[in-house]
């Protein structure tokens, strides 16, 4: 037998005796994980009561008492503001709509710039473009994955109007440093808190740490109303502008003698009464859901932290983390195999979540592609093909979205970060044991993955 044949045969026999499910071995788990279901009897009763009233929305798009919506919407806003210790809460139909009214309320001008994160859900970066303003990407922190204060400051120019920070994965951004930068350059801080409702920094709730905060109420988030969002601020002026943009601003400004027309182009971002009624019940449950996530992470980390190639997430000083997902850093030098192969092997050991079977095992390698690599930014095509709004000013044409502009983000995406959702309420100790066992098994059998 020649050499290459020997190797081939060795590989074959290895395959037969392999333990890893990805090579045909027994899976660690053969039944689905429990469904993510946070809706109960309380929401059901609340919905029925609104439904029976027949008034499913009470908004009017003109200057009238009902400009502010119906009783459920207003009660939800009041309760939200009280819970989070903030003056104004404005319910909308999604966090994306919330981000949109927030950027509009800043009074941003066409061609001005907004510093954004490349490592977040796509909406937090594109909203400036709605107002013909330009997203400028700063890099993230190696430890916490939020915007890096240092990189933010480097990306500020005389055209910068605001910073959209993101409490990514469930913990607050670098509040002290970034708020100080905003003060120094007279910028507004918009806090995308979609992934961190209930997280705290120095005793204050995430979402209330900047000038405007936005929470999401879509199905995937800590609490939800199906689709929905809510925006908070302590500024009376920003709050009123946001309420205008939420509800047909241009049809309201004249009758109400509103003090500005800038960005007062209205939408219909109104939250219906049924969603508001669900939201009120969900808000009561938020503390319990957060506790369950933190407990699940703690339990899982007891075992995962013993696997040498995995590094558990760090929590910033004076902060709490509410784990929208559980981010884990992977060291390929220790593992001797790259992250994607390792993750594929772990996924092969496990099963999908009930009711979301088609999404596969909810463990991801890399989170999202750095947003500036989307073709929208690569081509600078949004409104037509001539590069509008980047072509409004010289600076806009120079703004780069080339690969390499945010090296930490790219490294997290390509090599280091693993995120998973298998810490959500509904997971039992046995479910978590299976998750841990899958990681442990792949670590122990990692040589099967060596080429
Ligand atoms: C989910 C999410 C959004 C968007 O929320 P929607 O309510 O679906 O519009 C925005 N930003 C972040 C960071 C998110 O996770």
């Amino acid at each position: 037998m020649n050499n290459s044949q020997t190797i081939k045969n060795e590989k074959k026999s290895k395959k037969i005796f392999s333990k890893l499910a990805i090579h045909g071995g027994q899976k660690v788990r053969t039944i689905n994980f429990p469904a993510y279901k946070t809706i109960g009897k309380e929401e059901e009763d609340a919905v029925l009561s609104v439904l029976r009233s027949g008034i499913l929305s009470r908004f009017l798009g003109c200057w009238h008492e009902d400009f502010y919506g119906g009783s459920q919407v207003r009660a939800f806003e009041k309760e939200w503001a009280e819970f989070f210790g903030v003056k104004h809460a404005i319910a909308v139909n999604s966090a994306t709509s919330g981000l949109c009214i927030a950027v509009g309320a800043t009074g941003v001008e066409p061609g001005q710039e907004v510093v954004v994160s490349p490592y977040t859900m796509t909406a937090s970066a594109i909203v400036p473009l709605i107002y013909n303003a330009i997203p400028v990407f700063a890099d993230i922190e190696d430890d916490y994955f939020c915007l890096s204060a240092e990189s933010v400051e480097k990306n500020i120019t005389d055209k910068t109007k605001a910073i959209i920070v993101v409490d990514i994965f469930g913990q607050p951004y670098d509040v002290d440093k970034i708020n100080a930068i905003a003060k120094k350059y007279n910028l507004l801080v918009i806090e995308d808190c979609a992934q961190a409702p209930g997280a705290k920094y120095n005793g204050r709730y995430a979402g209330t740490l900047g000038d405007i905060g936005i929470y999401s109420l879509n199905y995937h988030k800590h609490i939800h109303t199906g689709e929905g969002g809510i925006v908070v601020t302590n500024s009376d002026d920003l709050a009123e502008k946001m309420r205008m943009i939420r509800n047909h601003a241009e049809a309201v400004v004249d009758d109400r003698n509103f003090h500005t027309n800038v960005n007062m182009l209205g939408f219909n971002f109104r939250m219906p009464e049924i969603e508001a009624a669900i939201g009120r019940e969900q808000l009561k449950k938020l503390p319990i859901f957060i506790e369950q996530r933190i407990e699940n992470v703690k339990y899982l980390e007891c075992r995962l932290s013993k696997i040498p190639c995995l590094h558990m997430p760090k929590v910033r000083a004076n902060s709490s983390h509410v784990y929208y997902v559980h981010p884990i850093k992977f060291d390929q030098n220790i593992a001797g195999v790259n992250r994607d192969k390792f993750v594929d092997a772990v996924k092969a050991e496990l099963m999908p979540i009930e009711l979301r079977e088609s999404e596969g095992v909810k463990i991801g390698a890399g989170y999202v592609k750095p947003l500036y690599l989307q073709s929208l930014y690569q081509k600078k095509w949004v409104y037509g093909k001539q590069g509008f709004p980047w072509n409004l000013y010289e600076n806009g044409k120079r703004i780069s979205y080339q690969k390499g502009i945010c090296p930490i983000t790219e490294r997290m995406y390509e090599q280091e970060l693993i995120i998973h959702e298998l810490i959500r309420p509904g997971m039992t100790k046995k479910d978590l044991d299976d998750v841990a066992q899958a990681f442990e098994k792949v670590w122990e059998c990692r040589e099967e993955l060596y080429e």
Side-chain angles (χ1 to χ4, degrees), residues 94-96 120-121 124 166 192 194-195 216 218 221 228:
S94 74
T96 303
T120 174
M121 193 263 175
S124 17
V166 185
D192 179 344
Q195 301 188 358
S216 172
N218 86 28
K221 300 300 173 9

mmCIF file with all atom_site columns, all heavy atoms in Angstrom, residues 94-96 120-121 124 166 192 194-195 216 218 221 228, ligand 1:
data_model
loop_
_atom_site.group_PDB
_atom_site.id
_atom_site.type_symbol
_atom_site.label_atom_id
_atom_site.label_alt_id
_atom_site.label_comp_id
_atom_site.label_asym_id
_atom_site.label_entity_id
_atom_site.label_seq_id
_atom_site.pdbx_PDB_ins_code
_atom_site.Cartn_x
_atom_site.Cartn_y
_atom_site.Cartn_z
_atom_site.occupancy
_atom_site.B_iso_or_equiv
_atom_site.pdbx_formal_charge
_atom_site.auth_seq_id
_atom_site.auth_comp_id
_atom_site.auth_asym_id
_atom_site.auth_atom_id
_atom_site.pdbx_PDB_model_num
ATOM   1   N N   . SER A 1 94  ? -42.650 49.246 15.881 1.00 0.00 ? 94  SER A N   1
ATOM   2   C CA  . SER A 1 94  ? -41.424 48.438 15.859 1.00 0.00 ? 94  SER A CA  1
ATOM   3   C C   . SER A 1 94  ? -40.283 49.288 16.391 1.00 0.00 ? 94  SER A C   1
ATOM   4   O O   . SER A 1 94  ? -40.393 50.529 16.422 1.00 0.00 ? 94  SER A O   1
ATOM   5   C CB  . SER A 1 94  ? -41.081 47.965 14.440 1.00 0.00 ? 94  SER A CB  1
ATOM   6   O OG  . SER A 1 94  ? -40.584 49.037 13.671 1.00 0.00 ? 94  SER A OG  1
ATOM   7   N N   . ALA A 1 95  ? -39.192 48.637 16.760 1.00 0.00 ? 95  ALA A N   1
ATOM   8   C CA  . ALA A 1 95  ? -38.008 49.401 17.164 1.00 0.00 ? 95  ALA A CA  1
ATOM   9   C C   . ALA A 1 95  ? -37.413 50.118 15.957 1.00 0.00 ? 95  ALA A C   1
ATOM   10  O O   . ALA A 1 95  ? -36.812 51.183 16.099 1.00 0.00 ? 95  ALA A O   1
ATOM   11  C CB  . ALA A 1 95  ? -36.979 48.478 17.799 1.00 0.00 ? 95  ALA A CB  1
ATOM   12  N N   . THR A 1 96  ? -37.571 49.547 14.783 1.00 0.00 ? 96  THR A N   1
ATOM   13  C CA  . THR A 1 96  ? -37.081 50.211 13.578 1.00 0.00 ? 96  THR A CA  1
ATOM   14  C C   . THR A 1 96  ? -37.793 51.559 13.409 1.00 0.00 ? 96  THR A C   1
ATOM   15  O O   . THR A 1 96  ? -37.147 52.583 13.159 1.00 0.00 ? 96  THR A O   1
ATOM   16  C CB  . THR A 1 96  ? -37.319 49.312 12.345 1.00 0.00 ? 96  THR A CB  1
ATOM   17  O OG1 . THR A 1 96  ? -36.668 48.061 12.591 1.00 0.00 ? 96  THR A OG1 1
ATOM   18  C CG2 . THR A 1 96  ? -36.776 49.935 11.081 1.00 0.00 ? 96  THR A CG2 1
ATOM   19  N N   . THR A 1 120 ? -24.523 44.928 14.607 1.00 0.00 ? 120 THR A N   1
ATOM   20  C CA  . THR A 1 120 ? -25.836 45.077 15.212 1.00 0.00 ? 120 THR A CA  1
ATOM   21  C C   . THR A 1 120 ? -26.879 44.668 14.184 1.00 0.00 ? 120 THR A C   1
ATOM   22  O O   . THR A 1 120 ? -26.558 44.337 13.044 1.00 0.00 ? 120 THR A O   1
ATOM   23  C CB  . THR A 1 120 ? -26.048 46.544 15.665 1.00 0.00 ? 120 THR A CB  1
ATOM   24  O OG1 . THR A 1 120 ? -27.396 46.708 16.119 1.00 0.00 ? 120 THR A OG1 1
ATOM   25  C CG2 . THR A 1 120 ? -25.807 47.538 14.536 1.00 0.00 ? 120 THR A CG2 1
ATOM   26  N N   . MET A 1 121 ? -28.117 44.723 14.615 1.00 0.00 ? 121 MET A N   1
ATOM   27  C CA  . MET A 1 121 ? -29.198 44.466 13.686 1.00 0.00 ? 121 MET A CA  1
ATOM   28  C C   . MET A 1 121 ? -29.230 45.610 12.663 1.00 0.00 ? 121 MET A C   1
ATOM   29  O O   . MET A 1 121 ? -29.026 46.765 13.019 1.00 0.00 ? 121 MET A O   1
ATOM   30  C CB  . MET A 1 121 ? -30.485 44.406 14.512 1.00 0.00 ? 121 MET A CB  1
ATOM   31  C CG  . MET A 1 121 ? -31.662 43.853 13.796 1.00 0.00 ? 121 MET A CG  1
ATOM   32  S SD  . MET A 1 121 ? -32.604 45.242 13.180 1.00 0.00 ? 121 MET A SD  1
ATOM   33  C CE  . MET A 1 121 ? -33.845 44.383 12.250 1.00 0.00 ? 121 MET A CE  1
ATOM   34  N N   . SER A 1 124 ? -30.347 49.559 13.040 1.00 0.00 ? 124 SER A N   1
ATOM   35  C CA  . SER A 1 124 ? -29.692 50.635 13.795 1.00 0.00 ? 124 SER A CA  1
ATOM   36  C C   . SER A 1 124 ? -28.727 51.437 12.936 1.00 0.00 ? 124 SER A C   1
ATOM   37  O O   . SER A 1 124 ? -28.381 52.558 13.287 1.00 0.00 ? 124 SER A O   1
ATOM   38  C CB  . SER A 1 124 ? -29.006 50.170 15.092 1.00 0.00 ? 124 SER A CB  1
ATOM   39  O OG  . SER A 1 124 ? -28.783 48.828 15.175 1.00 0.00 ? 124 SER A OG  1
ATOM   40  N N   . VAL A 1 166 ? -25.363 50.879 20.657 1.00 0.00 ? 166 VAL A N   1
ATOM   41  C CA  . VAL A 1 166 ? -26.201 49.684 20.766 1.00 0.00 ? 166 VAL A CA  1
ATOM   42  C C   . VAL A 1 166 ? -25.781 48.889 22.001 1.00 0.00 ? 166 VAL A C   1
ATOM   43  O O   . VAL A 1 166 ? -24.594 48.623 22.189 1.00 0.00 ? 166 VAL A O   1
ATOM   44  C CB  . VAL A 1 166 ? -26.064 48.790 19.504 1.00 0.00 ? 166 VAL A CB  1
ATOM   45  C CG1 . VAL A 1 166 ? -27.036 47.626 19.579 1.00 0.00 ? 166 VAL A CG1 1
ATOM   46  C CG2 . VAL A 1 166 ? -26.285 49.596 18.234 1.00 0.00 ? 166 VAL A CG2 1
ATOM   47  N N   . ASP A 1 192 ? -29.804 52.300 21.153 1.00 0.00 ? 192 ASP A N   1
ATOM   48  C CA  . ASP A 1 192 ? -30.598 51.171 20.664 1.00 0.00 ? 192 ASP A CA  1
ATOM   49  C C   . ASP A 1 192 ? -30.542 50.079 21.732 1.00 0.00 ? 192 ASP A C   1
ATOM   50  O O   . ASP A 1 192 ? -29.550 49.360 21.870 1.00 0.00 ? 192 ASP A O   1
ATOM   51  C CB  . ASP A 1 192 ? -30.034 50.662 19.331 1.00 0.00 ? 192 ASP A CB  1
ATOM   52  C CG  . ASP A 1 192 ? -30.806 49.472 18.787 1.00 0.00 ? 192 ASP A CG  1
ATOM   53  O OD1 . ASP A 1 192 ? -31.569 48.846 19.555 1.00 0.00 ? 192 ASP A OD1 1
ATOM   54  O OD2 . ASP A 1 192 ? -30.631 49.141 17.601 1.00 0.00 ? 192 ASP A OD2 1
ATOM   55  N N   . ALA A 1 194 ? -32.709 47.548 22.079 1.00 0.00 ? 194 ALA A N   1
ATOM   56  C CA  . ALA A 1 194 ? -33.589 46.446 21.689 1.00 0.00 ? 194 ALA A CA  1
ATOM   57  C C   . ALA A 1 194 ? -33.204 45.130 22.372 1.00 0.00 ? 194 ALA A C   1
ATOM   58  O O   . ALA A 1 194 ? -34.060 44.295 22.639 1.00 0.00 ? 194 ALA A O   1
ATOM   59  C CB  . ALA A 1 194 ? -33.558 46.266 20.169 1.00 0.00 ? 194 ALA A CB  1
ATOM   60  N N   . GLN A 1 195 ? -31.906 44.970 22.661 1.00 0.00 ? 195 GLN A N   1
ATOM   61  C CA  . GLN A 1 195 ? -31.447 43.687 23.193 1.00 0.00 ? 195 GLN A CA  1
ATOM   62  C C   . GLN A 1 195 ? -31.180 43.733 24.700 1.00 0.00 ? 195 GLN A C   1
ATOM   63  O O   . GLN A 1 195 ? -30.734 42.735 25.259 1.00 0.00 ? 195 GLN A O   1
ATOM   64  C CB  . GLN A 1 195 ? -30.170 43.248 22.454 1.00 0.00 ? 195 GLN A CB  1
ATOM   65  C CG  . GLN A 1 195 ? -30.386 43.114 20.945 1.00 0.00 ? 195 GLN A CG  1
ATOM   66  C CD  . GLN A 1 195 ? -29.205 42.496 20.220 1.00 0.00 ? 195 GLN A CD  1
ATOM   67  O OE1 . GLN A 1 195 ? -28.177 42.194 20.827 1.00 0.00 ? 195 GLN A OE1 1
ATOM   68  N NE2 . GLN A 1 195 ? -29.351 42.306 18.913 1.00 0.00 ? 195 GLN A NE2 1
ATOM   69  N N   . SER A 1 216 ? -37.253 47.182 21.589 1.00 0.00 ? 216 SER A N   1
ATOM   70  C CA  . SER A 1 216 ? -38.026 46.414 20.608 1.00 0.00 ? 216 SER A CA  1
ATOM   71  C C   . SER A 1 216 ? -38.994 45.485 21.329 1.00 0.00 ? 216 SER A C   1
ATOM   72  O O   . SER A 1 216 ? -38.684 44.953 22.394 1.00 0.00 ? 216 SER A O   1
ATOM   73  C CB  . SER A 1 216 ? -37.098 45.575 19.732 1.00 0.00 ? 216 SER A CB  1
ATOM   74  O OG  . SER A 1 216 ? -37.859 44.695 18.923 1.00 0.00 ? 216 SER A OG  1
ATOM   75  N N   . ASN A 1 218 ? -40.486 42.948 19.382 1.00 0.00 ? 218 ASN A N   1
ATOM   76  C CA  . ASN A 1 218 ? -40.770 41.875 18.423 1.00 0.00 ? 218 ASN A CA  1
ATOM   77  C C   . ASN A 1 218 ? -40.620 40.511 19.093 1.00 0.00 ? 218 ASN A C   1
ATOM   78  O O   . ASN A 1 218 ? -40.053 40.393 20.178 1.00 0.00 ? 218 ASN A O   1
ATOM   79  C CB  . ASN A 1 218 ? -39.959 42.034 17.128 1.00 0.00 ? 218 ASN A CB  1
ATOM   80  C CG  . ASN A 1 218 ? -38.560 41.424 17.179 1.00 0.00 ? 218 ASN A CG  1
ATOM   81  O OD1 . ASN A 1 218 ? -38.289 40.474 17.904 1.00 0.00 ? 218 ASN A OD1 1
ATOM   82  N ND2 . ASN A 1 218 ? -37.664 41.975 16.388 1.00 0.00 ? 218 ASN A ND2 1
ATOM   83  N N   . LYS A 1 221 ? -37.551 39.180 21.231 1.00 0.00 ? 221 LYS A N   1
ATOM   84  C CA  . LYS A 1 221 ? -36.938 39.948 22.303 1.00 0.00 ? 221 LYS A CA  1
ATOM   85  C C   . LYS A 1 221 ? -37.386 39.458 23.694 1.00 0.00 ? 221 LYS A C   1
ATOM   86  O O   . LYS A 1 221 ? -38.225 38.575 23.805 1.00 0.00 ? 221 LYS A O   1
ATOM   87  C CB  . LYS A 1 221 ? -37.243 41.428 22.086 1.00 0.00 ? 221 LYS A CB  1
ATOM   88  C CG  . LYS A 1 221 ? -36.686 41.962 20.739 1.00 0.00 ? 221 LYS A CG  1
ATOM   89  C CD  . LYS A 1 221 ? -35.208 41.812 20.658 1.00 0.00 ? 221 LYS A CD  1
ATOM   90  C CE  . LYS A 1 221 ? -34.414 42.098 19.424 1.00 0.00 ? 221 LYS A CE  1
ATOM   91  N NZ  . LYS A 1 221 ? -34.844 42.700 18.242 1.00 0.00 ? 221 LYS A NZ  1
ATOM   92  N N   . GLY A 1 228 ? -43.550 45.413 17.682 1.00 0.00 ? 228 GLY A N   1
ATOM   93  C CA  . GLY A 1 228 ? -43.771 46.622 18.468 1.00 0.00 ? 228 GLY A CA  1
ATOM   94  C C   . GLY A 1 228 ? -42.457 47.217 18.926 1.00 0.00 ? 228 GLY A C   1
ATOM   95  O O   . GLY A 1 228 ? -41.394 46.597 18.786 1.00 0.00 ? 228 GLY A O   1
HETATM 96  C C1  . LIG B 2 .   ? -34.422 43.553 17.097 1.00 0.00 ? 1   LIG B C1  1
HETATM 97  C C2  . LIG B 2 .   ? -33.557 44.728 16.958 1.00 0.00 ? 1   LIG B C2  1
HETATM 98  C C3  . LIG B 2 .   ? -33.952 45.892 16.295 1.00 0.00 ? 1   LIG B C3  1
HETATM 99  C C4  . LIG B 2 .   ? -35.211 46.017 15.503 1.00 0.00 ? 1   LIG B C4  1
HETATM 100 O O1  . LIG B 2 .   ? -36.345 45.704 16.195 1.00 0.00 ? 1   LIG B O1  1
HETATM 101 P P1  . LIG B 2 .   ? -37.771 45.655 15.459 1.00 0.00 ? 1   LIG B P1  1
HETATM 102 O O2  . LIG B 2 .   ? -38.731 45.852 16.569 1.00 0.00 ? 1   LIG B O2  1
HETATM 103 O O3  . LIG B 2 .   ? -37.874 44.314 14.833 1.00 0.00 ? 1   LIG B O3  1
HETATM 104 O O4  . LIG B 2 .   ? -37.829 46.745 14.456 1.00 0.00 ? 1   LIG B O4  1
HETATM 105 C C5  . LIG B 2 .   ? -33.092 46.972 16.299 1.00 0.00 ? 1   LIG B C5  1
HETATM 106 N N1  . LIG B 2 .   ? -31.902 46.917 16.886 1.00 0.00 ? 1   LIG B N1  1
HETATM 107 C C6  . LIG B 2 .   ? -31.463 45.814 17.516 1.00 0.00 ? 1   LIG B C6  1
HETATM 108 C C7  . LIG B 2 .   ? -30.123 45.825 18.164 1.00 0.00 ? 1   LIG B C7  1
HETATM 109 C C8  . LIG B 2 .   ? -32.272 44.669 17.555 1.00 0.00 ? 1   LIG B C8  1
HETATM 110 O O5  . LIG B 2 .   ? -31.816 43.569 18.158 1.00 0.00 ? 1   LIG B O5  1
#
